[in-house]
């Protein structure tokens, strides 16, 4: 049984909810990633911030990324996966919520991210194909 812990990318860094979207964009650039978990001052996950969120909800809306806080873009409860959840649960969660990245939680602590690319590398082609189809349809 393949678990999230086995296929996740470790070392996920949060952007603080009180940090600006500009800070988040710089961090994404430095890390070479397209999304960051948003964490509150209590180190709990508040949501995910994507490069698309920055473009559409900030720049496209004429807002200043140097003044908009990352936490303002967190929507609802973050979709996560447990570190010891198996591949079937990863696939089900990604497909059900139509997300390409899942923060991996161990207790209440963020320990990594499972991205669509991690799934593609770790699982058999038919499962990956099913996931891609689920994420590509409305």
């Amino acid at each position: 049984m393949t678990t999230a812990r086995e296929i996740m990318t470790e070392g996920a860094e949060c952007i603080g909810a009180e940090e600006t979207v500009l800070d988040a964009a710089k961090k994404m650039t430095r890390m070479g990633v397209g999304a960051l978990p948003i964490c509150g001052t209590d180190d709990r996950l508040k949501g995910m911030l994507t490069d698309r969120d920055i473009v559409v909800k900030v720049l496209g809306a004429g807002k200043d990324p140097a003044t908009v806080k990352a936490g303002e873009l967190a929507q609802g409860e973050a979709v996560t996966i447990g570190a010891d959840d198996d591949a079937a649960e990863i696939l089900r969660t990604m497909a059900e919520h139509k997300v390409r990245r899942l923060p991996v939680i161990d207790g209440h602590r963020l320990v990594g991210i499972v991205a669509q690319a991690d799934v593609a590398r770790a699982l058999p082609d038919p499962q990956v194909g099913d996931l891609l189809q689920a994420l590509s349809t409305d």
Side-chain angles (χ1 to χ4, degrees):
M1 170 178 80
T2 302
T3 65
R5 188 183 311 275
E6 293 170 322
I7 67 171
M8 71 183 188
T9 300
E10 294 183 64
E13 289 185 32
C14 286
I15 188 72
E18 295 302 314
E19 292 183 75
T20 69
V21 171
L22 181 58
D23 293 332
K26 288 178 180 179
K27 186 176 253 191
M28 285 180 188
T29 300
R30 181 174 40 76
M31 295 176 66
V33 298
L36 288 172
I38 303 168
C39 294
T41 54
D42 57 0
D43 277 336
R44 292 195 183 244
L45 189 66
K46 303 294 182 195
M48 288 291 287
L49 176 65
T50 67
D51 46 11
R52 186 174 194 282
D53 292 332
I54 293 170
V55 171
V56 173
K57 297 175 183 173
V58 179
L59 300 176
K63 297 178 182 176
D64 181 359
T67 60
V68 176
K69 304 291 185 210
E72 294 175 38
L73 300 181
Q75 297 178 330
E77 190 172 323
V79 177
T80 63
I81 194 82
D84 296 317
D85 287 347
D86 65 18
E89 183 65 13
I90 294 167
L91 293 169
R92 185 196 65 73
T93 302
M94 284 183 154
E96 180 180 320
H97 295 280
K98 295 204 179 279
V99 295
R100 290 173 167 75
R101 301 169 190 94
L102 283 173
V104 181
I105 304 295
D106 191 356
H108 293 291
R109 193 171 59 91
L110 177 71
V111 293
I113 302 278
V114 172
Q116 182 178 334
D118 298 319
V119 172
R121 280 190 294 272
L123 300 181
D125 288 345
Q127 289 179 310
V128 174
D130 291 345
L131 175 61
L132 293 175
Q133 183 175 5
L135 292 176
S136 299
T137 57
D138 288 328

